[in-house]
Amino acid sequence: MSSPWQHGYIRDGIMVHFHHGNHSDPYKPIGNDSLDVACKGCFVRFDTTACVRSGLMTLFVTVTGLLCAAKLCRLHQKNQRTVHQYIIFYTALVECVLCAIHWIYAKYTQIEFGLQYLKLIQFLVVCHVYCCLAARVTRKEQLSSRVVGPLFVLAFIYFTVITVMGMLDARSSWVDCREPEWILLSSMEFVLVQLFLVSGIYITKKLNKISTQAETRREQKRDLWGLIGVFELSATITLIYDINMLIWADEDNGCSGVFLHSQWFYSLIYALLELLKFMLPIWTMMCVFHPVEPASTDFDSSWAEDGTYTSVFSPQRGNRYRRLQNPTSSPAALHSSRSFPVLPPIHEEETSPLPSV
């Protein structure tokens, strides 16, 4: 019969378990549930502070999920012809459901990887559209098919592979913040956001050269830079958090040790991180992207030709945002409603407003 001292020791009245297996020092503690602030909640290892935090965060994400469901209903009612908004808001709805489950009950590392993956899918869709638009603005459409498209396919494969690796290699909450997959995901997201930023600069320069109403141009740039700013903030905060956790967390004190095993400190940082990381991008996309009326005239509905969207920041004024036309274009095309930004070939003397971006 083995002695209990072979499995751990008592410290401050708490049983601390030893590492086993091939660890270099078998007498270093593997951590325990009493100290680990990340594993506390309402239903498992109850803690009042953790439960209040989880309850408030779940309330936020539940309301967000209902708004995503309402948005999807409107998209189906309007018979939206493109898939981009469907991808964004269906993945956002699934993300909200998983967030609610993860925050209030099932604190599994695999779910956290799944949430990060869904967020990255939404970002790839938005970033891809605007990068292709920037290629058209600069009259380098070949970049869209030869560079931008393959680049985002590779990014999608990269995110998928790293996420699956993270799920398969997931460990307990005591040391899960030290998984290298977190850095691999957040660093690549940060790089792609910079590509989004460069695209925004090119689009803004072209907007400034177009003769259109100042208010319209200001609203278009506000929507574009609102998206860029939110994704930049989300990616930067996520990367900084992952780097700090990798540096400061160790096997002895675990991820909980970075927060001094303080539930108040951890709850404040964790709640702020999760809301900025997952919820803020969804809230922004719900404000920027809206369903539009089906076009009254027939036109090519491929994604590269699917133009404008309307913004919640400005009042609806009928066919306010119209596609930029050449002088020889059909007048009926001016009334085509679109769901994502587009730029046909541009002439500097044209005065029709750019599609909203």
Side-chain angles (χ1 to χ4, degrees), residues 172-207:
S172 69
S173 60
W174 184 257
V175 290
D176 67 343
C177 65
R178 292 176 51 81
E179 296 294 332
E181 287 81 5
W182 295 121
I183 293 290
L184 294 175
L185 289 175
S186 57
S187 58
M188 179 57 71
E189 179 188 7
F190 183 79
V191 171
L192 290 178
V193 169
Q194 308 319 306
L195 180 61
F196 190 15
L197 175 65
V198 173
S199 300
I201 292 174
Y202 279 110
I203 294 172
T204 302
K205 287 182 177 180
K206 179 55 64 175
L207 276 171

Side-chain angles (χ1 to χ4, degrees), residues 132-141 206 210 304-308 322-330 333-334 336 338 340-348 350 352-357:
C132 289
L133 176 58
R136 300 191 66 188
V137 163
T138 56
R139 299 178 183 177
K140 297 179 180 179
E141 287 85 352
K206 179 55 64 175
I210 297 296
E305 294 294 332
D306 273 337
T308 68
R322 297 179 176 180
R323 183 182 176 187
L324 189 63
Q325 297 293 318
N326 291 325
T328 57
S329 299
S330 172
L334 290 173
S336 297
R338 309 284 186 154
F340 265 97
V342 65
L343 269 180
I346 294 174
H347 299 285
E348 297 302 332
E350 292 173 356
S352 299
L354 265 174
S356 178
V357 289

Side-chain angles (χ1 to χ4, degrees), residues 112-133:
E112 190 81 17
F113 273 111
L115 292 172
Q116 178 75 352
Y117 181 72
L118 291 173
K119 175 213 170 181
L120 292 172
I121 295 299
Q122 298 160 27
F123 168 68
L124 283 178
V125 172
V126 175
C127 186
H128 181 226
V129 170
Y130 279 98
C131 286
C132 289
L133 176 58

Side-chain angles (χ1 to χ4, degrees), residues 42-305:
C42 295
F43 299 100
V44 179
R45 303 179 185 92
F46 177 82
D47 181 272
T48 303
T49 303
C51 187
V52 171
R53 178 204 72 220
S54 300
L56 291 176
M57 293 173 64
T58 302
L59 177 62
F60 278 118
V61 77
T62 300
V63 174
T64 303
L66 292 175
L67 292 175
C68 287
K71 180 77 71 174
L72 287 168
C73 289
R74 292 186 59 197
L75 286 173
H76 285 288
Q77 289 174 356
K78 299 290 185 179
N79 294 320
Q80 198 75 19
R81 300 179 65 174
T82 56
V83 300
H84 297 84
Q85 292 197 47
Y86 290 116
I87 294 175
I88 289 173
F89 292 114
Y90 268 115
T91 55
L93 179 59
V94 175
E95 183 181 334
C96 290
V97 173
L98 289 179
C99 277
I101 296 173
H102 180 58
W103 290 342
I104 199 68
Y105 182 70
K107 300 185 180 299
Y108 297 119
T109 304
Q110 290 88 343
I111 297 181
E112 190 81 17
F113 273 111
L115 292 172
Q116 178 75 352
Y117 181 72
L118 291 173
K119 175 213 170 181
L120 292 172
I121 295 299
Q122 298 160 27
F123 168 68
L124 283 178
V125 172
V126 175
C127 186
H128 181 226
V129 170
Y130 279 98
C131 286
C132 289
L133 176 58
R136 300 191 66 188
V137 163
T138 56
R139 299 178 183 177
K140 297 179 180 179
E141 287 85 352
Q142 290 184 346
L143 287 176
S144 177
S145 58
R146 296 183 179 181
V147 178
V148 177
L151 175 65
F152 280 88
V153 170
L154 291 176
F156 173 77
I157 296 174
Y158 174 87
F159 288 141
T160 302
V161 171
I162 298 301
T163 300
V164 171
M165 289 174 56
M167 289 181 173
L168 295 177
D169 194 38
R171 297 195 286 174
S172 69
S173 60
W174 184 257
V175 290
D176 67 343
C177 65
R178 292 176 51 81
E179 296 294 332
E181 287 81 5
W182 295 121
I183 293 290
L184 294 175
L185 289 175
S186 57
S187 58
M188 179 57 71
E189 179 188 7
F190 183 79
V191 171
L192 290 178
V193 169
Q194 308 319 306
L195 180 61
F196 190 15
L197 175 65
V198 173
S199 300
I201 292 174
Y202 279 110
I203 294 172
T204 302
K205 287 182 177 180
K206 179 55 64 175
L207 276 171
N208 292 333
K209 295 179 181 180
I210 297 296
S211 299
T212 186
Q213 295 180 1
E215 182 183 359
T216 299
R217 187 165 57 243
R218 183 169 58 251
E219 290 168 355
Q220 293 167 343
K221 289 190 289 187
R222 179 177 56 193
D223 290 352
L224 170 62
W225 286 99
L227 285 170
I228 294 175
V230 165
F231 281 114
E232 187 79 52
L233 177 64
S234 178
T236 302
I237 289 179
T238 302
L239 180 61
I240 291 174
Y241 176 84
D242 291 340
I243 291 175
N244 277 278
M245 296 303 289
L246 186 63
I247 292 175
W248 298 109
D250 55 39
E251 296 286 342
D252 292 340
N253 295 309
C255 303
S256 180
V258 178
F259 304 96
L260 307 178
H261 304 296
S262 170
Q263 187 60 240
W264 280 99
F265 186 30
Y266 171 77
S267 294
L268 178 63
I269 299 299
Y270 180 76
L272 184 62
L273 172 71
E274 296 292 280
L275 292 177
L276 292 177
K277 183 178 179 179
F278 297 123
M279 294 295 99
L280 185 59
I282 295 178
W283 295 338
T284 305
M285 289 185 291
M286 283 195 297
C287 289
V288 171
F289 300 125
H290 294 274
V292 295
E293 296 291 342
S296 57
T297 57
D298 191 20
F299 59 92
D300 180 11
S301 61
S302 64
W303 77 266
E305 294 294 332

